[in-house]
Amino acid sequence: MSTVAVEVVYRGIFQKSLARNIVRNIVFAARKDGKIGTAFGRYGDSPERNGIPAKQFAVVADNAEELEETLAQYEPTEVDVTINVDDTLCKGVESWAWYGLQPINQLTKPGGTLIVTSRQDADSLIRDMHQKDSPIGLSILKSTVSFSGLWVYKDDHTDVRVLGNLCNVCPQLVSLKSMLETIREQTGSETKVASAQKAYDTATIRQVEPGEGNPEIPYSFVLPGWKEMQEGVVIKAIEAGGGFRGGEGGYQPVRNEVFKKYSTRSMRPVINFETCIKCTLCWLQCPDTCFDVTPDGLYDANMESCCGCGVCEAVCPVPDCVTMVGEAEFEDNNSQWEMWQKDKEGYNSWMTLLVDKQKSETRTHGFHHVGGYAEEIANTEEVS
Amino acid sequence: MTTVETQLFQTEQEELISGSEAIAIACALADVDVITAYPIRPYDTVMQYVSKLKADGVFDCDFIVAESEHSQFEIVKHASAVGARTFCGSSGVGWFYAFEAITVTAGLRMPVVAMVGNRALDDPGAFGTEHNDALAVRDLGWMLYWVATAQEALDIALLSWRVAEDPRVLLPMAISCDGSFLTHSQAIVNVPTSEQVRKFLPPYDRGKLQLHPDNPITIAPQVNEDWLMEIRRQSDEAMHRSVAVIEEAYADFKKTFNRGDPSAFIEEYMTEDAEILIVGMGTLALPVRVAIRRMREAGKKVGFVRIKFFRPFPTEELQRVLGGVKAVCVIDRDYSFGSPSFAGVLFHELRSTLYPLEKRPLMLNFIAGLGGREIHTNDVNHMVDIVQKAIDTGKIEQEATWIGVRE
Amino acid sequence: MTTVTQDLPPVKGVKNIPLEEQFTSGHRTCQGCESALVMRLMIKAAGPRTIVLGSTGCMYVANTTYYSTPWVVPWMHTQLGSSGSAATGTAAGLASMMRKGKMKQEPINVIAFCGDGGGADMGLSAISATLQHEEYNLLILMYDNESYANTDIQVSGSSPWGANSTFSPPGTLHRIMNRRWKKNTAGMLAVGHPQVRYIATGCASYATDMMNKVRKALSIGGPTFIHTLDPCPKGWDYDPMYSHELGMLAVQTGIWVQYEVEDGKVTLNGPSKMLAKGKKRLPVEEYLKRQGRFAHFTKEDIAYYQSQIDVMWEKWWIPGVIPPSPEDD
């Protein structure tokens, strides 16, 4: 047999350590099986930007010669398993180095498996994924998506649970025995070994057939040749903006044609236009210039440029006027203001529903205060 | 253009000036907009004269004394981006201190013109000439020229802006002048009039690449592996195109100023029917020519080829001139420690130039005049004797020989 | 000879902030990147007739990539240590050509920005030299996210004492690897270049104040300098939504001092002015405990940090600006 490749698709920085733990442990375990492997991050994602999608890989081979085929590359041409540790990335992957929008399952080989850590059900995840012309397996690891930061790791067992699940869906990669032994060596924790074992025992696979999923053809971009490119390393600037939706009133900046932030966020702001006091703060404090100013002085978050930081919610003085809602709740990138204009009651009830649901969820985007993660982990029930 | 014109440039006249001063006068004639200086011997003689010309109102430029060579080259790079004609320069380790700025200037296609007062690299500190400083940029997209006289320094400076700023080229150009022999020795130089120069040298127009609010562009955004090869290929093509532009400009130069060699790229001296051709760059041409005249009188078929443009390198011309001879004697005022045959930089360039020929001449290399040590006619005779021996025996005992070094 | 500058009066109140954007989308900076906000506010304040020079750092590498620029105004990259030289060269080129009639006479803003690595470390001498050229109208803005954030968060001369970084990781033997105290860049430049008409500190959490400082710097004439403190969710390790709050905490704890030095007169402004008048400073722990880069701090470390801030406010000649205290103190 030849090489077995695994990719971990994750949110830059937030999940860097998580992804690293996963790919390194795969290689350690493979050694115990007498195989050889390599672990690496996609160079174009480095240096990582927090929240911006990134990838790490583990490739395992029977011997060094076979492994060589996969070395000195930025990413494998196909993988046996794609591990997605943030379910909102099922919508696609746009790294900051920008290779265009890559479907989450782009590299997953026919018959391969996509593991997703999520609390969503298969149907809602498949709805986000782009269609493939060959079947793959979908294995959902029931889990709250694990985010932490660069310096403090949120040790909630997500890494070992993914590894246990992986051994089940891809037995040709490494044996469970070697994996558990590796986890024992690397962490010295029997509860983590138990977590991995439990994930192995409870792993499930659901076939995703061709034609299932999002039919959209991802935006692609033809790279120009050297004769077409402007000399002097020159590109044209963004054009000056104008009135809201091309009209007279308000303001809307022209936005970059080739880079949209559709998949660079895991949350997006939902605006209550009824309670907005037009204080300008969400618009003013947005690092991504994502608010279009409507003729009536309201602020419409434009999903082309929102990367989901949540500063707008933090600075808004009105309770629940701006609420960050998980990206999984949305199927399009349409204007909320336009929805509200068309059907105010309908919009308001939809918005209220989302806001209330959000309150019941605990999805954090990194470090809040010393000891914060310990408190969060105590509240999660996955740990064996 | 509102250049302050004085007596100096209204009529053609002779001046007793150094190569540095000749280039400073060229700056005035070319109405350069931004000039940056930082002191280091020997190049800075050009800036001493530029500052005097500005102080006396001979010409109007923004003369900026930077706080380092790095800033010196960065400042002109950015002035060039907004469309200003620029000049700066350096020597030895100063040129190396500016290296980051020097490489991006070429990468950004900024037609900066710089004078390199060739100087040995530290350590130890030494003021004398060696060509390793300027040669260090040979792979980066800089056009490189070695002058031999003060007159040539002035003439080539004028040619430099014309070629560098040509929209087909847009590459920086360095004028290399041997320390002391050109930077600190005065000679009679014919200074043209502003009128003649205006005819020859059009204004610098950066067009669509100019950084200005009327032309909103982004220059040098970060790229990844998807882009860089195409950008490098563009620079490669610009260097290819520069050959024809140089020929065109030099022909025009000769017409306007009534002087110049047959070729813009090389100078041939008594090459006709020569069996041995000496090749070198810069002021070593002078003792070599003297030695050759004497050898010719003695009936020896020796000639000399002075390479003027090192980048773009005149491959075809050199193949034509050197192809037929029995032996080529390359004098390097530089070194390339540990290189093939432990020889000099010019030697390697010539060997790869001649390699494709059916009939390849014998090639010998002589490392001479390092640290500014003088090269005398008897040194040249000594080299030719060694070459003759190789021809007679058909055997090269040693490819690279150090001349005038104490054993 | 100084050419005229643009007339950029202060913006009075958020309602009067111009709607026009000169920095839109296309950049790939981190979620909650306060430096990206500084870029946006800086150029919003300066307006369309501006040339921006960006030295290497996050605001180049992640911010402006091929075919994916966020800039509406003309923008050009410059080398890591070259913000000063880039501003000088651009301003000199424009001034020379306008004076000689080679370019239409017009006041064009020239802004060069650099990060703390490019400004407080590598580019310091070039910035100093630039501030000596009174004849050129330009602004150098140093966006300080307190590390070489682009290259993976390495400690810089502007990083706070004890902060975790990939070059100063807390280890089993050495808990505190960065023993350098943060460099006082704006103060040093103000004191060292008395002829400079305007030097200020700012923070995007106080957006109107920051924008008005940019407008004053560009209209007052000659070379000017602004140093902003930019919370960095990646390097400081916190949830991106708190960027704005951490900027305010930095000021309210007295760790970051907001001031202007205009024609030799120092004014502490905003909350910093209140602190100088005796308003109680928040404990630095409120700021430190919110960031993963200080998660390894012990009580003693926090106490030491607090003591240094206390010294700055109680002993310095001018808090945040001039350290030495008067002899008779």
Side-chain angles (χ1 to χ4, degrees), chain B residues 57-74:
Chain B
V58 173
F59 86 119
D60 177 18
C61 70
D62 281 53
F63 177 74
I64 299 165
V65 180
E67 102 298 347
S68 73
E69 286 91 354
H70 186 278
S71 292
Q72 197 190 345
F73 280 77
E74 279 291 302

Side-chain angles (χ1 to χ4, degrees), chain B residues 38-45 48 69 90-95 115-120 122 126-128 133 179-180 183-184:
Chain B
Y38 188 81
I40 184 170
R41 285 170 63 87
Y43 108 96
D44 73 329
T45 42
Q48 293 177 33
E69 286 91 354
S90 194
S91 290
V93 289
W95 178 248
M115 169 185 168
V116 181
N118 293 123
R119 168 180 171 167
D122 291 10
F127 295 144
D133 52 2
S180 169
T183 58
H184 287 65

